[in-house]
Amino acid sequence: MSIYVQTLQKLFDMLPELADSHNMSGHSLAKAEIMSAYEHLDRALTLLTIKN
């Protein structure tokens, strides 16, 4: 796995924890955007994994 994919994977793994963190309480729009980014990264990582 390339360093690029590994970096994206680390970010992907971290996003749900960030969205559910105490600091996000009361910030539903920011939480929704983080989860949207999570979905986009999921698709990107899937495509990169299949391609390689």
Side-chain angles (χ1 to χ4, degrees):
M1 189 180 310
S2 74
I3 190 73
Y4 177 70
V5 174
Q6 290 174 353
T7 302
L8 289 176
Q9 184 66 49
K10 286 180 184 178
L11 180 59
F12 177 78
D13 294 340
M14 181 186 71
L15 285 175
E17 289 180 35
L18 178 62
D20 290 334
S21 73
H22 177 68
N23 294 333
M24 287 293 152
S25 63
H27 299 286
S28 59
L29 184 57
K31 190 173 184 176
E33 290 295 330
I34 290 169
M35 293 314 294
S36 177
Y38 179 80
E39 292 172 9
H40 287 285
L41 271 176
D42 182 38
R43 286 187 216 119
L45 284 168
T46 300
L47 291 172
L48 286 170
T49 302
I50 290 170
K51 189 174 182 179
N52 293 325

